[in-house]
Amino acid sequence: MSYQDAKLKLETELNEAFMRGESRVDVVHGIGQGKLKAMAVRTVNESNFCSLVPEERILHKNPGVLSVDLFPPDRATMRMYRR
């Protein structure tokens, strides 16, 4: 998967998880040169509906995975989005 395809896939998956009302997701970026991890961190930090889970709050840390908290709206607002 190319860098741009991975970025689009991440953005799509985060948006879909948000719309499903998920509160936390794991982003698997793998272990390598760090380019995909950096892209994932940047994408999450630029978002207004999610944030990275601080490492000290993760019990079983995997260096190839980022945990992300999502901040979905309440159910009434969610119904409005889905129309």
Side-chain angles (χ1 to χ4, degrees), residues 24-40:
R24 182 170 287 176
V25 295
D26 288 331
V27 176
V28 179
H29 53 75
I31 301 172
Q33 297 175 353
K35 292 178 183 178
L36 293 179
K37 180 178 182 179
M39 178 270 294

Side-chain angles (χ1 to χ4, degrees), residues 3 7 10 14 27 29 34-47 50-53 55 61 63 65-68:
Y3 181 91
K7 183 171 176 24
L10 174 60
L14 287 173
V27 176
H29 53 75
K35 292 178 183 178
L36 293 179
K37 180 178 182 179
M39 178 270 294
V41 168
R42 195 169 38 258
T43 299
V44 170
N45 286 338
E46 291 171 355
S47 171
C50 61
S51 69
L52 294 172
V53 176
E55 287 188 22
K61 180 73 175 120
V65 175
L66 291 174
S67 292
V68 178

Side-chain angles (χ1 to χ4, degrees), residues 5 7 13 16 19 35 43 49 58 66 74 79 81:
D5 288 342
K7 183 171 176 24
E13 294 292 330
E16 289 177 0
M19 292 304 292
K35 292 178 183 178
T43 299
F49 64 89
I58 301 171
L66 291 174
D74 59 60
R79 281 193 297 273
Y81 285 156

